[in-house]
Amino acid sequence: VRHNERVGFTVLAGGSVGSSLPGSRLAQPLGIFIPVDDAYDVAIASIEIHREHSSRESKAKARFKWLFHSWGRDKFVEVLSDKLGKRFDGYTGPLFYHTGVHEGVQPQIQEGFSYLHLPILGGLLSSEDLTTVAHVADTYGNGELRLTPTQNIIIPHITQKTKCLNALRKHGFNLAGPQLHWNSMGCASDFCGKTVAPHAKELCAQLINRFETRFSHELLDEAGFRIHVSGCYNNRCANVISEIGLAGRLSRADGSVKQSYHILLGGSYGITANQGTVIQENVPVAKVVPMLEQLVFHYSQKKAAQETLHEFCLRHSPLELQHFLNPSGEQ
């Protein structure tokens, strides 16, 4: 951020999207300005405060977010300042200007170079596909690959964009699609043993493919939403701060264990940070795709001009959103 013509940082603290006690929390701005030279010390001091003051009697409470929300913002800032032996200027400026994930091909700061942000649908990649991506990075970049928080791959330092894109398309990689390709993801529930098939990544890919088939790319981009799918109750995939969040549950039916999901709507992060609301509980996995398709259909028919899906969900009550999720009448 910029403060009195100086460039530095401000701090948000206490956030967590996991289900561990005391539950998911949005990070709170501390309202202080951190000069660049102090940023490292502030980070280390915050970790040390957690080590020195968080609970050692209860594993469930031995978390930074528990300490922060027990103390409150003002006490944390006071302890942080005392520990570092300095007082920080206040900061009340903007925290975010925009959010985005740099879709597709973008110019690098270094003149003559571009980077390519490759969407990995649902976060699933075969060994053969990874070999292809590595070969492309060697051939058209500098051999470097970077992984993104949304489970995608960035190939930096590209000088021949067209040839690079053609090589990827030849092997089935597609960079022409809605933003859903880049900003949606599912957790690795097929590894943890807490879920049954179809797993989170598969369901995420199914939803994106269905939406692409059913709705125009322009509508999906105008809706501006993400899909985050967590296979179990631990919420490992930030489903509480996505516009469409799915939180997995196991249920017993007809003598067998089956996968179901809670559907959360209206979450967001950044400028419009907000936690989603559980609108429908224990939805059988086979019904998730058609129900969310109904939601987007109702959005397409009832939205205001330039209204995002996040804004649409906040404008309607949970009962109305339940109605939008359940098929009724013709489309």
Side-chain angles (χ1 to χ4, degrees):
V1 298
R2 188 179 294 276
H3 173 69
N4 294 337
E5 302 306 315
R6 291 188 295 163
V7 173
F9 298 92
T10 191
V11 182
L12 293 89
S16 170
V17 295
S19 61
S20 59
L21 294 174
S24 58
R25 293 288 189 275
L26 293 176
Q28 294 185 23
L30 299 188
I32 56 178
F33 175 78
I34 308 297
V36 172
D37 291 342
D38 292 331
Y40 178 81
D41 292 338
V42 167
I44 295 300
S46 298
I47 296 170
E48 290 176 346
I49 289 171
H50 167 55
R51 181 188 64 191
E52 294 161 5
H53 296 280
S54 286
S55 173
R56 293 189 178 269
E57 286 72 42
S58 169
K59 180 181 178 180
K61 296 180 180 179
R63 300 178 184 275
F64 179 79
K65 66 175 176 180
W66 186 286
L67 176 70
F68 183 87
H69 287 279
S70 298
W71 279 5
R73 181 183 64 184
D74 292 343
K75 180 176 179 179
F76 179 78
V77 171
E78 180 183 355
V79 174
L80 177 66
S81 298
D82 289 344
K83 186 174 183 64
L84 292 171
K86 60 179 65 178
R87 291 292 182 266
F88 296 103
D89 289 351
Y91 177 79
T92 57
L95 300 175
F96 304 98
Y97 292 97
H98 60 84
T99 57
V101 293
H102 312 296
E103 299 90 348
V105 182
Q106 304 283 347
Q108 288 184 199
I109 293 176
Q110 296 83 0
E111 186 175 353
F113 291 96
S114 300
Y115 65 86
L116 187 151
H117 189 171
L118 188 64
I120 309 300
L121 200 60
L124 289 170
L125 192 69
S126 69
S127 57
E128 292 82 5
D129 287 341
L130 186 55
T131 300
T132 296
V133 174
H135 175 71
V136 168
D138 283 335
T139 305
Y140 301 104
N142 67 349
E144 180 181 344
L145 295 175
R146 302 186 185 185
L147 304 181
T148 77
T150 49
Q151 304 173 349
N152 298 322
I153 292 176
I154 288 178
I155 307 174
H157 302 293
I158 295 170
T159 55
Q160 297 175 295
K161 291 187 295 184
T162 302
K163 289 185 177 180
C164 182
L165 286 168
N166 289 338
L168 289 167
R169 290 189 183 110
K170 182 180 177 181
H171 289 89
F173 289 98
N174 180 21
L175 275 81
Q179 293 175 354
L180 279 173
H181 276 215
W182 283 270
N183 59 22
S184 297
M185 59 181 178
C187 76
S189 62
D190 46 333
F191 285 92
C192 72
K194 294 185 176 70
T195 68
V196 296
H199 293 288
K201 293 181 183 296
E202 300 171 72
L203 180 56
C204 182
Q206 288 176 19
L207 282 163
I208 294 172
N209 285 328
R210 182 56 181 160
F211 287 163
E212 275 197 286
T213 302
R214 181 70 174 81
F215 306 103
S216 70
H217 291 185
E218 292 76 17
L219 176 72
L220 295 174
D221 283 345
E222 183 180 2
F225 66 95
R226 301 164 297 142
I227 304 168
H228 285 190
V229 186
S230 296
C232 76
Y233 53 83
N234 286 322
N235 300 339
R236 296 302 186 199
C237 210
N239 48 277
V240 296
I241 54 169
S242 58
E243 290 76 12
I244 294 179
L246 297 172
R249 297 292 188 275
L250 290 178
S251 57
R252 290 192 173 274
D254 302 323
S256 61
V257 177
K258 297 185 178 181
Q259 186 72 38
S260 62
Y261 284 91
H262 289 4
I263 296 178
L264 295 84
L265 299 178
S268 185
Y269 75 107
I271 301 170
T272 57
N274 185 64
Q275 292 198 68
T277 301
V278 176
I279 302 299
Q280 199 90 25
E281 295 186 349
N282 297 317
V283 177
V285 67
K287 294 185 177 181
V288 170
V289 175
M291 288 179 74
L292 291 175
E293 181 183 346
Q294 282 289 322
L295 172 72
V296 178
F297 169 75
H298 282 287
Y299 161 79
S300 70
Q301 299 299 302
K302 298 177 172 65
K303 69 180 183 67
Q306 298 181 325
E307 185 176 41
T308 65
L309 184 66
H310 170 71
E311 294 165 336
F312 178 82
C313 290
L314 295 185
R315 185 165 61 86
H316 291 89
S317 70
L319 284 176
E320 289 173 314
L321 293 174
Q322 283 182 6
H323 170 73
F324 296 157
L325 285 168
N326 290 285
S328 59
E330 295 183 0
Q331 293 190 14

